Amino acid sequence: MAPLALALLSQPTSGGADEHLRGAADALRHALAGNTVTYVVNRNLNVSNHCIKHCSFCAFRRDAGEPGAYWLAEAELERRAAEARDAGATELCIQGGLNPEATVEGSQLAYAERLLQRLQQAAPGLHLHAFSPQELLYFAQHDGLSLDHVLERLQAAGLGSVPGTAAEVLSEPVRRVLCPEKLTARDWVAVMLQVHQHGLPSTSTLMAGHIEGPADRAAHLLTLVAVQRYAWQHQRQGFTEFVLLPFVGASAPAALRARVRRDQPDAAAMLRLTTQARILLGPWFPFHQPSWVKLTLASATEALRWGCNDLGGTLMEEHITTMAGASGGTCQSPEALEAAARQLGRPVRRRTTLYGAVA
């Protein structure tokens, strides 16, 4: 499988080859996910950009007290959660930097627990999609606890699923440049295996379009397949979807920006990768989603012809990609997402986080 994956990802660019890939990916999308475009009404809560890590691609992180640094008060997060529920949201997506001060009596886990509990009280019934594998591992390491214990307590506090971020590219040579302080590719996989073992579903992502090559992309996508196969073999849901995250360099740290030499994603290259990911991930990943924040809604809509079946969430607000200089905006209305799907002549429906129907 690996040589075939590398061959597919190394194909030279040409109009005819791209159209052939597009047709194959679109047919596979139709077979696995049908013709209906889906989306979720959700709100993004990027709690704080205080962070102890120094990733070379990140324009979001700040030290406390630095210009642009912020940490939202719990009362403000509750207000935003209640506002989202009143606007029809069914999900809160909660992520942030690794904030060393976010503790309760010295415990990172206790702060995370309290945050989930307060959000549940402020917005009863909303699905809490929270804490990347990096955040989960940080809670465990900071508090000297096992990851199993962390997951048990967060589930009891209301955690419903886990974002598949912090994966970036699951290739150590790339990670040594992009995020040498971050968890390793092996650690990311180990955390996800435990997340799935606890019955918690998660998303999966690939951040592409920077310094990675075809072999790095192949390693990443095949790793996702291996983790998903293991989950399904043990009757677990595993990954709910795959999300391609094109690199945005407009406000990235200077060294990486100079190396990549591109401020915004190469839309044509990302559409080609969208088809390749759909084909390589095959039946293990029925649901694929573009990032309208990074690509713009117009390009994300085009991705629905290149293997994607879902337009993601309304978000209502977004800070991580926006601070990187993305031009896609920070929110979309349900009407805008539905209009995008209908413009392609496709039916559209609202979904839950786990792809169930919304009344």
Side-chain angles (χ1 to χ4, degrees):
M1 179 68 172
L4 292 174
L6 185 55
L8 176 63
L9 289 162
S10 301
Q11 280 196 345
T13 303
S14 76
D18 283 356
E19 182 57 28
H20 177 73
L21 278 174
R22 190 202 68 74
D26 198 47
L28 185 57
R29 180 272 307 162
H30 188 273
L32 294 174
N35 210 35
T36 299
V37 176
T38 51
Y39 72 95
V40 65
V41 179
N42 65 350
R43 183 163 200 162
N44 218 27
L45 296 175
N46 298 131
V47 177
S48 172
N49 64 352
H50 299 185
C51 191
I52 62 169
K53 304 292 185 185
H54 301 81
C55 298
S56 72
F57 64 88
C58 184
F60 176 69
R61 60 101 38 222
R62 297 288 189 278
D63 292 319
E66 186 180 352
Y70 76 90
W71 181 7
L72 295 175
E74 289 173 63
E76 173 60 18
L77 291 166
E78 289 180 82
R79 185 193 69 76
R80 295 187 190 194
E83 186 179 77
R85 185 172 183 269
D86 292 343
T90 56
E91 173 198 295
L92 295 174
C93 179
I94 305 143
Q95 296 182 93
L98 305 183
N99 182 357
E101 302 304 317
T103 61
V104 172
E105 297 181 353
S107 168
Q108 286 274 328
L109 176 57
Y111 175 85
E113 277 181 310
R114 188 174 73 185
L115 179 59
L116 293 179
Q117 290 162 350
R118 292 185 65 164
L119 291 174
Q120 269 200 318
Q121 292 166 2
L126 263 64
H127 181 101
L128 301 181
H129 180 64
F131 308 134
S132 73
Q134 177 67 80
E135 291 172 275
L136 295 171
L137 191 60
Y138 180 58
F139 300 158
Q141 292 173 339
H142 181 280
D143 288 11
L145 301 170
S146 71
L147 183 59
D148 278 329
H149 183 74
V150 168
L151 291 168
E152 285 171 4
R153 284 176 51 180
L154 291 177
Q155 276 185 283
L159 180 64
S161 60
V162 171
T165 47
E168 323 313 353
V169 183
L170 297 173
S171 166
E172 289 308 332
V174 174
R175 297 180 81 79
R176 283 195 288 272
V177 176
L178 285 186
C179 48
E181 300 175 13
K182 223 167 198 173
L183 79 176
T184 65
R186 183 182 292 271
D187 286 339
W188 189 92
V189 169
V191 172
M192 275 306 187
L193 289 171
Q194 287 195 58
V195 165
H196 296 164
Q197 185 177 347
H198 280 259
L200 286 164
S202 72
T203 58
S204 66
T205 63
L206 165 62
M207 186 178 78
H210 41 85
I211 64 168
E212 88 288 356
D216 303 307
R217 293 175 176 182
H220 183 103
L221 294 171
L222 294 179
T223 298
L224 295 183
V225 168
V227 175
Q228 186 75 319
R229 289 182 65 169
Y230 186 83
W232 286 12
Q233 286 166 358
H234 291 81
Q235 288 75 54
R236 300 166 189 152
Q237 182 165 4
F239 296 122
T240 55
E241 68 209 48
F242 171 74
V243 189
L244 178 61
L245 301 175
F247 173 71
V248 177
S251 299
L256 185 63
R257 187 181 180 199
R259 190 166 172 179
V260 175
R261 298 182 182 179
R262 187 190 308 109
D263 286 348
Q264 298 298 329
D266 179 338
M270 291 301 102
L271 288 173
R272 189 180 315 116
L273 181 54
T274 296
T275 67
Q276 293 163 337
R278 168 61 86 175
I279 292 166
L280 280 177
L281 295 176
W284 303 103
F285 287 78
F287 305 129
H288 286 233
Q289 179 190 126
S291 170
W292 56 258
V293 175
K294 297 174 184 293
L295 285 172
T296 74
L297 182 56
S299 290
T301 303
E302 178 62 12
L304 295 174
R305 299 179 60 247
W306 293 68
C308 288
N309 66 285
D310 184 82
L311 278 172
T314 55
L315 296 189
M316 302 189 187
E317 60 180 282
E318 198 285 330
H319 301 287
I320 296 173
T321 302
T322 303
M323 290 175 73
S327 58
T330 61
C331 67
Q332 295 291 343
S333 67
E335 293 78 14
L337 295 179
E338 292 183 8
R342 291 195 177 108
Q343 141 187 350
L344 300 180
R346 301 263 291 276
V348 60
R349 70 171 176 85
R350 194 176 295 192
R351 64 166 171 88
T352 66
T353 303
L354 305 183
Y355 285 81
V358 174

